[in-house]
């Protein structure tokens, strides 16, 4: 029988139900005052007997808590990546603005956040047959994220209209769609490309960077693209963002050479930013 901390064997009065297992020849427990007064130097090197008469060299007062620690799971919750909900809209807007527009001061930064927030609530307008989803990485959420009020079928502005009891806080965001606004059109009639998912707005809060959250978001986006029947995923990456380039290349993305004089669409950001257009065939990398 295994007992946490061996307290029942040394102090049977703490566990009366187990006192019958202790040998009658075992010495009585030391008074707490006597134990506190004895220094470790007095006990060092002196073999002591356990209540069962077995010599022990474990110093009195040392907590052997490995058995008890296994009974309690870590209190640090894991990161949960899921679809954004209505309750996440403001944090999504704040994460987006703090990542892409970090130098703006009040009141411009507040105006940007409100504008982004209203845009999120107004919904993701997509052409017929296309799909767009905002993913969020949430920290501090409960182990089970299934406790909520609302209805999954209720959607407001493209977001699930439900509220979780242990939702945590948004640490990262990502948008994935099949709209193909930033993909080169095909044919003389400039038809919209199909079968290619596009990743954008990948952002992680500064305090949560370096934890693999962006990688988790991209992996989730790839799985979502697969579920939509897409054969590949594309994105634009700032050529000077070394960390992002390393992340995407590690996930199997490859830089695609843009033909000279080609007017391929690019994200609308600050002028002067050079983008690398990257793609990945989903069949080449699995789902990990």
């Amino acid at each position: 029988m295994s007992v946490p901390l061996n307290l029942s064997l040394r102090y049977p009065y703490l566990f009366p139900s187990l006192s019958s297992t202790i040998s009658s020849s075992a010495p009585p427990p030391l008074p707490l005052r006597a134990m506190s007064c004895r220094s470790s130097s007095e006990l060092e090197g002196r073999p002591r007997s356990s209540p069962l008469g077995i010599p022990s060299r474990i110093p009195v007062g040392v907590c052997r808590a490995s058995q008890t620690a296994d009974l309690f799971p870590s209190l640090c919750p894991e990161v949960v990546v899921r679809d954004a909900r209505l309750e996440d809209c403001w944090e999504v807007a704040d994460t987006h603005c703090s990542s892409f527009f970090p130098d703006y001061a009040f009141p411009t930064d507040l105006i940007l956040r409100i504008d982004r927030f209203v845009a999120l609530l107004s919904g993701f307008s997509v052409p017929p047959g296309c799909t767009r989803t905002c993913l969020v990485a949430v920290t501090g959420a409960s182990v089970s994220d299934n406790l909520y009020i609302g209805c999954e079928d209720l959607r407001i502005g493209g977001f699930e209209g439900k509220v979780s009891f242990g939702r945590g806080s948004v640490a990262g965001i990502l948008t994935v769609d099949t709209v193909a606004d930033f993909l080169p059109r095909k044919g003389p009639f400039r038809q919209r490309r199909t079968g290619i998912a596009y990743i954008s707005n990948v952002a992680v809060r500064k305090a949560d960077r370096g934890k693999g959250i962006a990688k988790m978001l991209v992996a989730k986006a790839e799985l979502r693209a697969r579920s939509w029947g897409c054969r590949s995923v594309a994105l634009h990456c700032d050529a000077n963002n070394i960390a992002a380039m390393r992340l995407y290349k590690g996930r199997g993305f490859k830089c695609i050479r843009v033909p000279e004089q080609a007017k391929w669409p690019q994200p609308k950001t600050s002028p002067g930013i050079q983008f690398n257009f990257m793609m990945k065939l989903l069949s080449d990398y699995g789902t990990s």
Side-chain angles (χ1 to χ4, degrees):
M1 177 178 181
S2 176
V3 182
L5 297 181
N6 295 327
L7 286 176
S8 64
L9 297 181
R10 187 173 293 276
Y11 309 112
Y13 53 85
L14 296 179
F15 297 89
S17 61
L18 298 177
S19 60
S20 59
T21 62
I22 303 178
S23 172
S24 59
S25 61
L30 292 175
L32 294 179
R33 178 176 299 178
M35 290 179 61
S36 62
C37 294
R38 300 180 66 180
S39 64
S40 59
S41 60
E42 296 179 57
L43 301 173
E44 187 175 349
R46 294 173 51 188
R48 291 167 299 282
S49 298
S50 68
L52 298 181
I54 302 174
S56 172
R57 290 187 177 273
I58 300 177
V60 175
V62 176
C63 179
R64 314 294 290 183
S66 60
Q67 298 178 21
T68 301
D70 292 339
L71 299 178
F72 299 95
S74 172
L75 297 180
C76 298
E78 297 181 356
V79 178
V80 176
V81 178
R82 56 168 172 77
D83 286 9
R85 299 170 183 165
L86 183 63
E87 59 183 351
D88 303 317
C89 283
W90 178 256
E91 287 189 90
V92 170
D94 183 64
T95 303
H96 179 273
C97 294
S98 62
S99 299
F100 293 107
F101 310 103
D103 299 328
Y104 285 87
F106 182 84
T108 307
D109 60 340
L110 178 60
I111 296 174
L112 285 172
R113 283 161 172 76
I114 295 176
D115 178 75
R116 180 65 177 173
F117 178 72
V118 172
L120 290 170
L121 289 181
S122 63
F124 289 141
S125 59
V126 296
C130 299
T131 307
R132 177 177 288 149
T133 297
C134 178
L135 300 176
V136 293
V138 180
T139 60
S142 59
V143 176
S144 176
D145 194 44
N146 297 324
L147 297 177
Y148 59 86
I149 58 176
C151 179
E152 291 184 349
D153 296 331
L154 174 63
R155 303 188 71 87
I156 302 176
F159 294 90
E160 295 180 357
K162 61 183 183 181
V163 178
S164 173
F165 288 103
R167 70 181 189 88
S169 59
V170 173
I173 60 174
L174 177 150
T175 303
V176 57
D177 62 62
T178 59
V179 180
D181 280 339
F182 297 106
L183 299 178
R185 299 302 177 97
K186 62 178 182 180
F189 299 103
R190 299 182 58 80
Q191 296 176 316
R192 188 183 304 273
R193 293 184 180 272
T194 59
I196 304 176
Y198 184 80
I199 292 176
S200 61
N201 297 325
V202 184
V204 178
R205 289 183 180 273
K206 188 175 182 179
D208 294 300
R209 292 171 187 171
K211 301 178 182 179
I213 292 178
K215 183 177 180 180
M216 296 175 62
L217 285 165
V218 174
K220 187 74 170 182
E222 293 174 8
L223 290 175
R224 185 60 54 86
R226 277 183 179 274
S227 68
W228 292 340
C230 296
R231 62 182 182 275
S232 59
V233 184
L235 55 86
H236 283 91
C237 180
D238 183 353
N240 294 321
N241 192 334
I242 305 301
M245 290 292 298
R246 186 185 304 115
L247 165 67
Y248 297 133
K249 288 182 178 180
R251 292 294 306 173
F253 285 84
K254 300 183 182 301
C255 292
I256 305 299
R257 180 179 173 274
V258 180
E260 295 184 8
Q261 306 302 324
K263 295 182 180 180
W264 287 14
Q266 288 189 354
K268 299 177 182 179
T269 58
S270 302
I273 295 182
Q274 298 294 324
F275 288 101
N276 285 331
F277 182 66
M278 308 182 74
M279 290 191 69
K280 167 185 173 178
L281 295 178
L282 293 176
S283 59
D284 288 347
Y285 197 74
T287 60
S288 61

